[in-house]
Amino acid sequence: MSAKSVFVDGAALEWRPTPCAGVRWKKLYFDAASGESAVLLEFAPGAAYDAHRHPGGETYLVLAGELEDGGQRYGAHTYVRHAAGSAHRPSSPSGALVFVTLPRPIETL
């Protein structure tokens, strides 16, 4: 079996709205069979993502700005890994750019 590399120019992708005011995203990768994905999320100052659960867990890296999650504030270059079944409602007081990977889609609460 030969694995193929995937290359995506994120700068060439258009920002897409999410259902959450002030949060936009770019889809970098999605596997329809497993639901695995990789996205960039951009939070405007004061924006929050709806409360949701991660059936397969979540990993993210704050690239710029500051993300508030579970009572903690994470600045640029902070790596966070949430276990399968975890739930949260991330927000950003000052705006943030975040790289997120998910092994399975989220469940909105």
Side-chain angles (χ1 to χ4, degrees):
M1 181 172 155
S2 174
K4 294 188 178 190
S5 297
V6 175
F7 300 92
V8 177
D9 180 0
L13 298 175
E14 295 291 325
W15 284 106
R16 300 162 70 173
T18 70
C20 309
V23 182
R24 306 188 303 171
W25 70 293
K26 291 184 180 191
K27 184 186 334 182
L28 302 172
Y29 175 78
F30 179 70
D31 177 23
S34 68
E36 179 185 1
S37 64
V39 300
L40 285 174
L41 287 179
E42 181 186 64
F43 287 75
Y49 206 89
D50 291 340
H52 59 279
R53 177 178 294 111
H54 294 280
E58 172 193 43
T59 301
Y60 68 78
L61 177 66
V62 179
L63 299 173
E66 186 176 63
L67 196 69
E68 208 168 82
D69 187 3
Q72 300 288 325
R73 285 193 176 191
Y74 302 112
H77 306 198
T78 303
Y79 170 84
V80 177
R81 181 173 177 85
H82 290 300
S86 61
H88 65 151
R89 185 176 189 262
S91 62
S92 181
S94 58
L97 179 63
V98 185
F99 171 70
V100 180
T101 61
L102 303 165
R104 292 179 36 202
I106 66 170
E107 297 172 346
T108 303
L109 298 177

